[in-house]
Amino acid sequence: GERAGDEVLLVLGAPPGAGQDGRPLQVLLAFARLRDIRPGEKRDTTFEIDSDAFALSDAAGRRHLAIGTWRLWLAGSDGKVGSATSEVTIRGLRREVGAEEAVVVM
């Protein structure tokens, strides 16, 4: 834009088997609010994503890590998806994640 303002960056992920067997197409994994961005300004941002963010709910409402390869991408508050994508593979035992943590499904 032509004026300074805030921007919210979203880290979205598609779980293994997205859209199949009740799995969501995408999940919000992390976000960051960048304040007072001037026109043309660029900033570096780091996201730390806990492994529990890669959990999905089963039919009984229990949350388990979704083992396999997730596709990740960035989106801005305007809904535009960035061109940078990445993949991360979750390995290990399928384990239940505590109910006190929330996973936001879009």
Side-chain angles (χ1 to χ4, degrees):
E2 295 181 19
R3 299 185 306 193
D6 294 356
E7 177 66 50
V8 177
L9 296 178
L10 309 173
V11 179
L12 300 167
Q20 301 172 7
D21 300 323
R23 289 187 174 217
L25 294 174
Q26 60 185 11
V27 175
L28 175 63
L29 298 171
F31 66 93
R33 181 182 197 100
L34 305 178
R35 299 194 181 274
D36 300 319
I37 303 223
R38 294 181 305 276
E41 180 182 0
K42 295 181 182 181
R43 290 191 192 169
D44 291 331
T45 303
T46 300
F47 293 93
E48 292 186 23
I49 304 172
D50 187 82
S51 63
D52 288 354
F54 296 94
L56 300 174
S57 296
D58 63 17
R62 292 182 305 263
R63 295 180 50 237
H64 297 272
L65 284 181
I67 305 300
T69 300
W70 287 66
R71 188 174 58 87
L72 307 181
W73 64 94
L74 286 176
S77 56
D78 59 4
K80 291 183 181 175
V81 174
S83 60
T85 62
S86 185
E87 290 185 346
V88 62
T89 300
I90 305 299
R91 295 188 175 120
L93 299 175
R94 184 173 188 261
R95 67 174 174 87
E96 189 168 349
V97 175
E100 68 282 353
E101 299 173 34
V103 171
V104 179
V105 178
M106 301 177 71

